[in-house]
Amino acid sequence: MPIRHKLLPETATIQTVSDTNIDERGLPSDNWSNTFTNVKCKFESLGAEEDREGRNTTIESFNVYLEKGVTIVPGDRLVRGSDLHEVTMVQPVLDRYGVECYKRVETFVSK
C-alpha cells in the first residue's frame, strides 16, 4: 500500500547530472537538469555536525521519504527551496508482496 500523500507534506525536485558538457575553457562541466518536479516528500533532519577537516562548514544529514514511482539514485540531488541535498543512499520500501510503497533516501546539505 503506498504511503498517503498527507504524510508527505512537502515537495522537491529531483535533479540528475550530465557530464557531457564542455565549458568555455574546453574542460568537462557538470550540467544538472530537472528529472522530476513537485515530488511529494517528507524531510527529517538527523542532525548537523561541523566538518573538522580545516573547513568552517556545517553538514546536516536527512532521511527523506519520497512517493513511489520516481527514479532516483545516489549521486542525484534533491532541491528543496534553496537547499541542494546530495543523495547518498536510496532504499525502496516494499510491502509484504514485494510492491514498492515509497522510497527512503539519505541526503546531506553543506552550509
Side-chain angles (χ1 to χ4, degrees):
M1 179 163 99
I3 193 167
R4 297 180 190 272
H5 278 204
K6 71 179 182 180
L7 300 176
L8 302 172
E10 302 177 68
T11 60
T13 298
I14 298 173
Q15 292 186 331
T16 56
V17 67
S18 170
D19 58 359
T20 58
N21 290 338
I22 305 295
D23 67 10
E24 61 277 357
R25 299 169 293 167
L27 299 173
S29 174
D30 292 344
N31 183 28
W32 291 92
S33 60
N34 294 346
T35 308
F36 292 93
T37 58
N38 295 319
V39 176
K40 297 280 188 188
C41 58
K42 180 179 180 181
F43 287 80
E44 290 183 350
S45 177
L46 300 175
E49 62 183 46
E50 284 190 39
D51 189 11
R52 299 175 190 250
E53 296 177 4
R55 299 183 196 147
N56 189 15
T57 303
T58 302
I59 297 175
E60 187 171 6
S61 299
F62 288 86
N63 273 338
V64 184
Y65 301 92
L66 301 174
E67 63 183 319
K68 70 175 187 169
V70 296
T71 302
I72 188 168
V73 297
D76 289 351
R77 67 183 181 189
L78 288 169
V79 180
R80 176 189 182 209
S82 62
D83 290 337
L84 299 175
H85 291 253
E86 302 295 331
V87 176
T88 58
M89 192 274 303
V90 177
Q91 176 187 20
V93 178
L94 310 176
D95 66 11
R96 64 183 177 175
Y97 303 109
V99 177
E100 181 182 304
C101 297
Y102 59 94
K103 285 184 171 64
R104 186 176 71 84
V105 178
E106 290 181 8
T107 69
F108 70 89
V109 176
S110 297
K111 296 185 179 184

